[in-house]
Amino acid sequence: MTTALPAKTALPARTVAERSVGLAILVFAAVGPLFLNDYWVNSILTQTFLVGIAAASLIFLSAYGGMVSLAQTALYGVAGFIVGNMVTQGETKGLNLGWDPTLAVVLAILLTTALGLVFGLLAARSVGIYFLMLTLTFAVIGNYFFGQVTLVSGFSGISGIDRYTPGFIGNVVDHPNRLYYVALVVALAVYLLIRYVRRTPFGLALQGVRDEPVRMSSLGYNVPLHRALAFAFGAFIASLAGVLYVWWNGQIDPQTIGLQATIDLLVVAVIGGLGRIEGAWLGAFVFILINNYVRDIEVPLVGGSFNTIVGLIFLAVVVISPSGLMGIWDRIVSTQLGGRGGGDPPAVAESRAD
Amino acid sequence: MSARVYRLLPAIIAGGALGFAVLWVAVIAQPPPIEGSPGWRSTTFGSAIDDPTSFLYTLLDAVTFAGLLFIVASGFTLIFGLMRVVNMAHGTFFLLGGYIAYELQQKMTGQGFAIPGEEVNTWEWIAPVLLAAACIAGIGLLVQQSLLRWNQGQDLRQALITIAISVIAADQVIAHFEGGNAVSVTWPGKVNRLVDLRILDVQYSLARLTVLALGVAVGVALYLWLYRTKTGVVIRAGVDDEQMTSALGINIQRAFAIAFVVGSALAAFGGVVGASQGAVASGQDGQWLLNSLVVVIIGGLGSLLGAAAGSLLYGLVFSFSATYLPTTGENCCTQYSIVFTFILLALVLSFRPRGLFGRPG
C-alpha cells in the first residue's frame, strides 16, 4: 500500500452510506435465486453481471485513463470467438478444435489481453477524440473480420458453445444458477480488482497520465506505455465478460460485436456514468430492463421501436447529466450528507482532447 | 546504433511491405492454373505484366471508389477541422441522403421500386440530389444549433450527442423508409453505359467515371471555396485560432454553422452517389462512418489534402486486396482483405500518429 491511510479513523458518512447500499445489493444478489423467478435470474441478472463487466472495462479506461474506448465490445467478442473455436466439436462453424474448456478459457483470456496490448500500443499516442475514433475503427474491423473470415466464424457465427463449459458449471441450460453465481463472483472480483488497481503505483501513475500527461512524461513516466498497459488490462476484463457471454448465450456471431452492440455498450456505460466503476452494473441493469420490458412499445408521434427510446434516453443523459446515473447519485449524496466526492471526477464533463 | 534502428523500424517495415506489395501485383502473382490446385502465387487474374487489362480495371475501380470516399470524408474532415466535432452521425446523414433521394426520384418518375436507366433524364437525378442535400443540410444545421453549439469545446460530449442522434435516426430510417431495405437511385440514362477507353480494350462504366469526376469536382470546389473566398478565409482562420478570429470581430459562429451545413450536405451528396452506384440499406450508416473515419485517420483530421490522400490509399488497398490476394484453397485468402485496411491504418499510425497530413495540436 503506497497510500497509507491513517488507521482507525471514522469513515465519512458518504462512504458508510455507499458501502451499506453496496452490501445490501450484494446480499440481495446472493440470495436472489431463492425467490426470483427463472426469467429474472437467467435473463436479466446474469446478463446484467456480464454486460456490467464489459462496461466496467470501458469505465475503467475512461475514469482512470481518460480514454473512452469503443473497442471493448470487439475485445469481448474476440475472447468469445476464441472460446467458441476451441471448445466446439464439429456441427458448427469455426475451427471446432474440441479442446478442454478450462484450457480454452485461459488461452482466450491470455490471447485477448495480448491483442489488447497490441491495440493499446497502436492507439496509445492518440488521445481524446482521436482515441475514440481509432478504437471505433478497431471495433468495426473486428466485426468485419469475423463476418468475412469463414475459417473462424463467418456470418452465421458459432453455436452450441454452452455445452462445453468447465465441469463445475456444467450444462448451462440444466443448471442456470451455477452460471449466475459464477457471473456474480466474477463481477464482484472485477469490481474489487479495479478498486485495488487504482490504488497501486501503476493506477496512481495512470491517473497522473490522465490529468497531466506532459508533467508525468517529464517526471520520467512512460506515458504511452502506461496507456497501452491500461488498455491491455481493460482487454483482460472485457475478455472475462466475453467468456461469460458465450456460456450464457450459447452462441456468438459477428452481430454480437457489430456497431449496434458497440454503441449499446457505450450507452450502458454512459447511462451508468463514465466516472465511476459502480455505474457499469447500474447502467447494465437499467439498459437490460428497458431492453426486456420496452421491446414491444410503439413510440408515439414519430414511430420507431425500442432503439428510438434508448437513443432518446441516451441523448437525455448526455445532455442533462454527463456523469450518468452515478453522477445523479453523487449529487444527491453530497447535498444530503455534505462533503466532497470520492475523488473520481466525472469523465465526460471536463475531458478535453489535447 | 540500436536506438537509430528502432526509430527507423516503422519506416523499414512500411517500405518493405509496400515494396513487396508492388512486386507482388507487378510480377509475382500468377493466374490460377487451368488444371490442378492453385499454388501460393495464384490470384484471380495474375500479375499486372501478364494481364494488364485486369490490372487497369482494378486500378479504375480503386480510384473511382476513392472519388466517392472523398466526397463523404471531405465533409467529415471539414466539420472536424473547424469545430473539433467528430460527427458520429455522418454515416447517418449519408444513409438518410440516399433514402430521401430515392423517395424523390420515385415520386418524380412515377415508377415502382427499380427504374430502368434510360427512363431517367439528367434532371431527374440532379433534382433529388439537390433536395436531399438541402434536407440533410437543414437537419445538420438544426442539430448543430440546438445540441452542439452550447457544448463547444467538450468534444467527447459532442461525439456522444451525435452517437445518440445516429441511434435514433437509424431506428427512424427502418420505421419510415422502406423498412430499411436496400434501395438504389438510378443514374440518368446518359451516364448509365460503358465507354471505350481505347487503352487495352477496356470498356468501363461511365457512371463510375462520373463518380470520380464528381469527387474531383468536390475537391476543386472545396479548395476554391476555402482558399479563394472570404468565407473560406474566415473558416481557415477559425481552424488556426478560434479565439483570435472571434476577437477580431468576425462572427465565428456563422462560420461554424456554414461548415456544418456544407459538411452535412456533402454526406448526403455522397449518400445519393453511393445509392446510385450500388445501394443504400439500413446498417450502411456504420459502414460509411467507418469509411470516413479510416480515410481521415490515414490522411490526418481536418486536412483536405489528407482526405484526398486517405481516400486514394484506402481505395487502392480496398480494391487491390480484394483482387490480388492468393486464391489458394477454400479458406484463403481473398476473405482476409478486410485485414489489409487495418494493416494500412497501423502502418500509417505507427510512424505518423496524426495521419499523413495531420497537424499537431
Side-chain angles (χ1 to χ4, degrees), chain B residues 198-280:
Chain B
R198 296 175 202 285
I199 324 164
L200 300 166
D201 298 331
V202 170
Q203 303 268 332
Y204 203 70
S205 156
L206 184 59
R208 287 199 76 115
L209 293 173
T210 311
V211 174
L212 178 61
L214 289 172
V216 172
V218 165
V220 171
L222 279 177
Y223 175 82
L224 291 177
W225 181 52
L226 288 174
Y227 289 87
R228 293 284 182 273
T229 66
K230 190 134 185 269
T231 322
V233 170
V234 170
I235 285 179
R236 283 187 300 128
V239 172
D240 285 341
D241 193 335
E242 182 199 320
Q243 286 189 334
M244 195 60 219
T245 312
S246 91
L248 289 172
I250 290 163
N251 187 352
I252 192 84
Q253 288 299 338
R254 198 172 134 260
F256 284 167
I258 292 172
F260 211 92
V261 161
V262 173
S264 312
L266 280 172
F269 181 43
V272 186
V273 174
S276 310
Q277 193 47 54
V280 286

Side-chain angles (χ1 to χ4, degrees), chain B residues 52-78:
Chain B
T53 312
S54 302
F55 173 77
L56 192 57
Y57 272 119
T58 313
L59 189 66
L60 283 168
D61 284 351
V63 291
T64 49
F65 180 56
L68 177 55
L69 282 172
F70 178 77
I71 296 174
V72 182
S74 61
F76 188 85
T77 207
L78 180 71

Side-chain angles (χ1 to χ4, degrees), chain A residues 70-78 81 115 119 134-150 152-157 252-263, chain B residues 282-288 290 335 338-339 341-342:
Chain A
L70 291 176
Q72 301 314 106
T73 325
L75 290 164
Y76 138 124
V78 166
F81 276 113
L115 183 69
F119 277 7
L134 202 50
T135 50
L136 177 64
T137 313
F138 291 162
V140 183
I141 289 173
N143 175 21
Y144 288 153
F145 176 82
F146 286 110
Q148 288 191 5
V149 181
T150 47
V152 292
S153 159
F155 187 72
S156 54
I252 185 163
D253 61 61
Q255 277 306 307
T256 312
I257 57 169
L259 188 69
Q260 183 69 48
T262 303
I263 301 286
Chain B
S282 172
Q284 280 196 347
D285 45 352
Q287 199 183 336
W288 276 94
L290 174 79
Q335 51 178 319
I338 186 70
V339 180
T341 312
F342 183 74

Side-chain angles (χ1 to χ4, degrees), chain A residues 38 42 162-163 169-179:
Chain A
D38 282 355
N42 306 337
D162 48 355
R163 272 175 288 160
I169 296 175
N171 189 323
V172 174
V173 180
D174 296 340
H175 309 285
N177 284 359
R178 294 191 192 170
L179 185 63

